[in-house]
Amino acid sequence: SQTIHQWPATLVQPVGSPLSLECTVEGTSNPNLYWYRQAAGRGLQLLFYSVGIGQISSEVPQNLSASRPQDRQFILSSKKLLLSDSGFYLCAWSGLAGKTYNEQFFGPGTRLTVL
Amino acid sequence: AQKVTQAQTEISVVEKEDVTLDCVYETRDTTYYLFWYKQPPSGELVFLIRRNSFDEQNEISGRYSWNFQKSTSSFNFTITASQVVDSAVYFCALKTSYDKVIFGPGTSLSVIP
Protein backbone atom coordinates (compact mmCIF):
# COMPACT_ATOMS: atom_id res chain seq x y z
CA SER A 1 0.00 0.00 0.00
CA GLN A 2 1.01 3.60 -0.49
CA THR A 3 1.90 5.97 2.30
CA ILE A 4 2.95 9.59 2.39
CA HIS A 5 5.10 11.15 5.07
CA GLN A 6 5.71 14.75 5.99
CA TRP A 7 8.06 16.26 8.50
CA PRO A 8 8.29 18.03 10.72
CA ALA A 9 4.75 17.89 12.06
CA THR A 10 5.01 21.31 13.65
CA LEU A 11 7.50 24.11 13.29
CA VAL A 12 7.95 27.52 14.86
CA GLN A 13 10.37 29.77 13.04
CA PRO A 14 11.38 33.44 13.35
CA VAL A 15 10.79 35.86 10.52
CA GLY A 16 13.67 35.86 8.09
CA SER A 17 14.82 32.34 8.86
CA PRO A 18 15.07 29.61 6.20
CA LEU A 19 12.59 26.79 5.77
CA SER A 20 12.75 23.23 4.56
CA LEU A 21 9.76 20.90 4.63
CA GLU A 22 10.05 17.39 3.32
CA CYS A 23 7.55 14.99 1.85
CA THR A 24 8.16 11.41 0.78
CA VAL A 25 5.89 8.81 -0.76
CA GLU A 26 6.24 5.07 -0.40
CA GLY A 27 4.74 2.23 -2.33
CA THR A 28 4.40 3.86 -5.72
CA SER A 29 6.57 5.16 -8.52
CA ASN A 30 6.33 8.19 -10.80
CA PRO A 31 3.73 9.96 -8.67
CA ASN A 32 2.55 13.47 -9.28
CA LEU A 33 3.39 15.49 -6.20
CA TYR A 34 1.77 18.63 -4.81
CA TRP A 35 2.31 21.24 -2.11
CA TYR A 36 -0.72 23.05 -0.69
CA ARG A 37 -1.04 25.69 1.97
CA GLN A 38 -4.07 26.18 4.15
CA ALA A 39 -4.31 29.40 6.13
CA ALA A 40 -6.25 29.24 9.37
CA GLY A 41 -9.94 28.71 8.73
CA ARG A 42 -9.56 28.90 4.97
CA GLY A 43 -9.42 26.68 1.92
CA LEU A 44 -6.55 24.98 0.16
CA GLN A 45 -4.14 26.91 -2.00
CA LEU A 46 -2.02 24.98 -4.49
CA LEU A 47 1.58 26.17 -4.30
CA PHE A 48 3.57 23.78 -6.48
CA TYR A 49 3.14 20.56 -8.37
CA SER A 50 5.54 18.17 -10.02
CA VAL A 51 5.03 15.49 -12.64
CA GLY A 52 8.60 14.16 -12.49
CA ILE A 53 12.11 14.59 -11.09
CA GLY A 54 13.29 18.15 -11.50
CA GLN A 55 9.96 19.27 -12.97
CA ILE A 56 8.28 21.93 -10.85
CA SER A 57 5.33 24.12 -11.70
CA SER A 58 4.60 27.13 -9.52
CA GLU A 59 1.08 28.34 -9.03
CA VAL A 60 1.60 31.37 -6.86
CA PRO A 61 4.57 33.77 -7.00
CA GLN A 62 6.01 34.13 -3.52
CA ASN A 63 9.14 33.58 -1.52
CA LEU A 64 8.71 29.81 -1.49
CA SER A 65 10.31 27.29 -3.81
CA ALA A 66 10.03 23.56 -4.35
CA SER A 67 12.36 20.85 -5.53
CA ARG A 68 12.05 17.20 -6.43
CA PRO A 69 15.49 15.63 -6.15
CA GLN A 70 14.18 12.06 -6.24
CA ASP A 71 11.13 10.38 -7.71
CA ARG A 72 9.27 10.15 -4.41
CA GLN A 73 10.68 13.14 -2.57
CA PHE A 74 9.29 16.66 -2.64
CA ILE A 75 10.80 19.55 -0.71
CA LEU A 76 9.36 22.97 0.05
CA SER A 77 11.86 25.69 0.89
CA SER A 78 12.26 29.33 1.66
CA LYS A 79 15.36 31.44 2.12
CA LYS A 80 13.63 34.00 4.34
CA LEU A 81 10.27 33.37 5.97
CA LEU A 82 7.58 36.02 6.21
CA LEU A 83 4.82 36.28 8.77
CA SER A 84 2.35 35.53 5.98
CA ASP A 85 3.99 32.14 5.42
CA SER A 86 2.34 30.81 8.57
CA GLY A 87 -0.16 28.07 7.86
CA PHE A 88 -0.76 24.39 7.45
CA TYR A 89 1.27 22.84 4.65
CA LEU A 90 0.00 19.71 3.02
CA CYS A 91 1.80 17.46 0.60
CA ALA A 92 -0.23 15.24 -1.72
CA TRP A 93 0.38 12.65 -4.38
CA SER A 94 -1.60 11.16 -7.21
CA GLY A 95 -0.73 8.12 -9.21
CA LEU A 96 -1.72 4.65 -10.20
CA ALA A 97 -2.94 3.44 -6.81
CA GLY A 98 -6.50 3.53 -7.99
CA LYS A 99 -5.57 3.00 -11.63
CA THR A 100 -6.06 6.66 -12.18
CA TYR A 101 -4.12 9.86 -11.80
CA ASN A 102 -7.17 11.73 -10.65
CA GLU A 103 -7.62 11.63 -6.91
CA GLN A 104 -4.97 13.03 -4.64
CA PHE A 105 -3.92 11.53 -1.34
CA PHE A 106 -2.66 13.79 1.38
CA GLY A 107 0.00 13.60 4.01
CA PRO A 108 -0.49 14.50 7.68
CA GLY A 109 0.65 18.09 7.15
CA THR A 110 3.11 20.49 8.77
CA ARG A 111 1.84 23.30 10.93
CA LEU A 112 4.18 26.28 10.49
CA THR A 113 4.11 29.33 12.72
CA VAL A 114 6.29 32.25 11.81
CA LEU A 115 6.88 34.70 14.67
CA ALA B 1 -13.22 28.84 -15.84
CA GLN B 2 -13.51 26.12 -13.23
CA LYS B 3 -15.06 26.80 -9.87
CA VAL B 4 -16.42 24.93 -6.89
CA THR B 5 -18.94 26.51 -4.55
CA GLN B 6 -19.87 25.25 -1.12
CA ALA B 7 -22.41 27.76 0.06
CA GLN B 8 -22.69 26.35 3.57
CA THR B 9 -19.78 27.68 5.59
CA GLU B 10 -20.78 26.03 8.85
CA ILE B 11 -23.44 23.50 9.76
CA SER B 12 -24.38 22.30 13.20
CA VAL B 13 -26.59 19.26 13.79
CA VAL B 14 -27.55 17.11 16.71
CA GLU B 15 -26.27 13.57 16.73
CA LYS B 16 -28.41 11.10 14.73
CA GLU B 17 -29.78 13.80 12.48
CA ASP B 18 -29.26 13.56 8.75
CA VAL B 19 -27.28 16.32 7.09
CA THR B 20 -26.61 17.24 3.47
CA LEU B 21 -23.58 19.19 2.35
CA ASP B 22 -24.06 21.07 -0.89
CA CYS B 23 -21.55 21.37 -3.72
CA VAL B 24 -22.03 23.22 -6.99
CA TYR B 25 -19.35 23.20 -9.67
CA GLU B 26 -18.65 25.07 -12.87
CA THR B 27 -16.73 23.78 -15.87
CA ARG B 28 -16.99 23.79 -19.63
CA ASP B 29 -15.13 20.52 -19.97
CA THR B 30 -17.16 17.46 -20.83
CA THR B 31 -14.77 15.16 -18.99
CA TYR B 32 -14.19 15.94 -15.36
CA TYR B 33 -13.97 14.36 -11.94
CA LEU B 34 -15.55 15.32 -8.67
CA PHE B 35 -14.29 14.48 -5.22
CA TRP B 36 -15.18 14.81 -1.57
CA TYR B 37 -12.57 14.99 1.14
CA LYS B 38 -12.90 15.04 4.92
CA GLN B 39 -10.55 17.05 7.12
CA PRO B 40 -10.92 16.09 10.80
CA PRO B 41 -9.41 18.26 13.54
CA SER B 42 -6.09 16.43 13.13
CA GLY B 43 -5.71 18.19 9.78
CA GLU B 44 -5.05 15.40 7.32
CA LEU B 45 -7.38 15.36 4.31
CA VAL B 46 -9.05 12.02 3.84
CA PHE B 47 -10.27 11.05 0.39
CA LEU B 48 -13.91 9.92 0.45
CA ILE B 49 -15.11 9.50 -3.10
CA ARG B 50 -14.41 10.19 -6.78
CA ARG B 51 -17.11 10.46 -9.39
CA ASN B 52 -16.45 11.01 -13.10
CA SER B 53 -18.65 13.05 -15.38
CA PHE B 54 -19.88 10.02 -17.30
CA ASP B 55 -21.26 8.26 -14.26
CA GLU B 56 -24.29 9.90 -12.72
CA GLN B 57 -25.21 6.98 -10.55
CA ASN B 58 -25.64 7.90 -6.95
CA GLU B 59 -23.45 6.07 -4.49
CA ILE B 60 -23.97 4.88 -0.96
CA SER B 61 -21.27 3.81 1.43
CA GLY B 62 -22.56 3.00 4.87
CA ARG B 63 -24.02 6.19 6.31
CA TYR B 64 -22.60 8.27 3.47
CA SER B 65 -24.33 8.90 0.17
CA TRP B 66 -23.61 11.12 -2.78
CA ASN B 67 -26.03 12.62 -5.28
CA PHE B 68 -24.47 13.69 -8.59
CA GLN B 69 -26.72 15.70 -10.91
CA LYS B 70 -25.17 17.08 -14.09
CA SER B 71 -28.34 19.01 -14.92
CA THR B 72 -27.81 21.24 -11.89
CA SER B 73 -24.00 20.87 -11.72
CA SER B 74 -24.27 19.59 -8.20
CA PHE B 75 -22.57 16.86 -6.24
CA ASN B 76 -24.16 16.77 -2.81
CA PHE B 77 -23.08 14.66 0.12
CA THR B 78 -25.48 13.30 2.73
CA ILE B 79 -24.57 11.82 6.08
CA THR B 80 -27.34 9.73 7.58
CA ALA B 81 -27.67 9.39 11.35
CA SER B 82 -24.74 11.69 12.00
CA GLN B 83 -22.21 10.90 14.69
CA VAL B 84 -19.79 13.05 16.66
CA VAL B 85 -16.91 11.50 14.69
CA ASP B 86 -18.38 13.08 11.56
CA SER B 87 -17.42 16.50 12.87
CA ALA B 88 -14.90 17.86 10.38
CA VAL B 89 -14.44 20.22 7.47
CA TYR B 90 -15.61 18.70 4.22
CA PHE B 91 -14.23 19.78 0.88
CA CYS B 92 -15.74 19.25 -2.52
CA ALA B 93 -13.27 19.34 -5.41
CA LEU B 94 -13.18 19.33 -9.20
CA LYS B 95 -10.56 18.11 -11.66
CA THR B 96 -10.82 18.71 -15.38
CA SER B 97 -8.40 18.16 -18.23
CA TYR B 98 -5.58 19.90 -16.43
CA ASP B 99 -3.75 18.04 -13.71
CA LYS B 100 -4.87 20.36 -10.93
CA VAL B 101 -7.66 19.88 -8.46
CA ILE B 102 -9.82 22.86 -7.60
CA PHE B 103 -11.12 22.75 -4.07
CA GLY B 104 -14.19 24.43 -2.73
CA PRO B 105 -13.92 26.59 0.39
CA GLY B 106 -15.14 23.78 2.62
CA THR B 107 -18.07 23.26 4.95
CA SER B 108 -17.42 22.90 8.65
CA LEU B 109 -19.75 20.32 10.17
CA SER B 110 -20.28 20.11 13.91
CA VAL B 111 -22.22 17.17 15.29
CA ILE B 112 -23.42 17.87 18.80
CA PRO B 113 -23.92 14.91 21.13
Side-chain angles (χ1 to χ4, degrees):
Chain A
S1 63
Q2 298 78 27
T3 56
I4 179 169
H5 305 278
Q6 284 186 246
W7 65 90
T10 60
L11 191 60
V12 180
Q13 292 285 93
V15 170
S17 64
L19 172 73
S20 181
L21 303 181
E22 190 163 344
C23 169
T24 59
V25 181
E26 295 178 356
T28 188
S29 59
N30 302 316
N32 292 343
L33 297 172
Y34 310 84
W35 278 112
Y36 288 87
R37 178 169 61 198
Q38 187 178 32
R42 303 187 67 177
L44 293 159
Q45 178 187 36
L46 178 63
L47 301 176
F48 301 95
Y49 69 97
S50 172
V51 299
I53 296 175
Q55 301 178 61
I56 309 294
S57 296
S58 175
E59 290 296 302
V60 183
Q62 54 202 335
N63 68 320
L64 298 172
S65 62
S67 62
R68 185 170 177 174
Q70 300 181 42
D71 181 45
R72 290 168 289 177
Q73 184 185 30
F74 205 23
I75 297 173
L76 182 69
S77 304
S78 174
K79 293 181 179 179
K80 289 186 177 182
L81 283 169
L82 306 173
L83 286 174
S84 57
D85 291 324
S86 293
F88 190 52
Y89 288 81
L90 288 155
C91 181
W93 73 276
S94 65
L96 293 175
K99 299 181 181 179
T100 175
Y101 272 92
N102 295 304
E103 54 264 40
Q104 295 179 10
F105 300 94
F106 286 80
T110 295
R111 204 164 298 277
L112 172 66
T113 303
V114 182
L115 302 175
Chain B
Q2 281 73 239
K3 185 179 180 181
V4 176
T5 301
Q6 294 179 258
Q8 304 149 309
T9 304
E10 296 181 3
I11 300 176
S12 185
V13 299
V14 177
E15 197 170 23
K16 297 184 182 179
E17 287 184 347
D18 298 347
V19 58
T20 295
L21 309 182
D22 297 332
C23 173
V24 174
Y25 62 92
E26 294 177 28
T27 180
R28 293 181 179 178
D29 284 21
T30 56
T31 300
Y32 53 89
Y33 302 86
L34 296 164
F35 312 90
W36 276 97
Y37 286 84
K38 174 182 180 180
Q39 186 177 38
S42 62
E44 180 175 350
L45 265 77
V46 178
F47 167 73
L48 296 178
I49 189 173
R50 167 176 52 87
R51 180 58 86 224
N52 69 50
S53 54
F54 297 103
D55 182 3
E56 283 194 76
Q57 283 191 341
N58 293 328
E59 183 157 338
I60 298 174
S61 177
R63 296 184 297 107
Y64 293 172
S65 62
W66 291 270
N67 184 352
F68 176 29
Q69 292 193 344
K70 290 178 73 172
S71 60
T72 56
S73 297
S74 65
F75 186 41
N76 296 338
F77 174 27
T78 297
I79 302 174
T80 303
S82 59
Q83 300 177 1
V84 173
V85 293
D86 296 326
S87 297
V89 179
Y90 291 86
F91 291 94
C92 180
L94 166 71
K95 181 181 183 294
T96 59
S97 54
Y98 301 98
D99 192 35
K100 290 183 290 184
V101 176
I102 300 163
F103 286 85
T107 295
S108 178
L109 173 64
S110 296
V111 181
I112 303 168

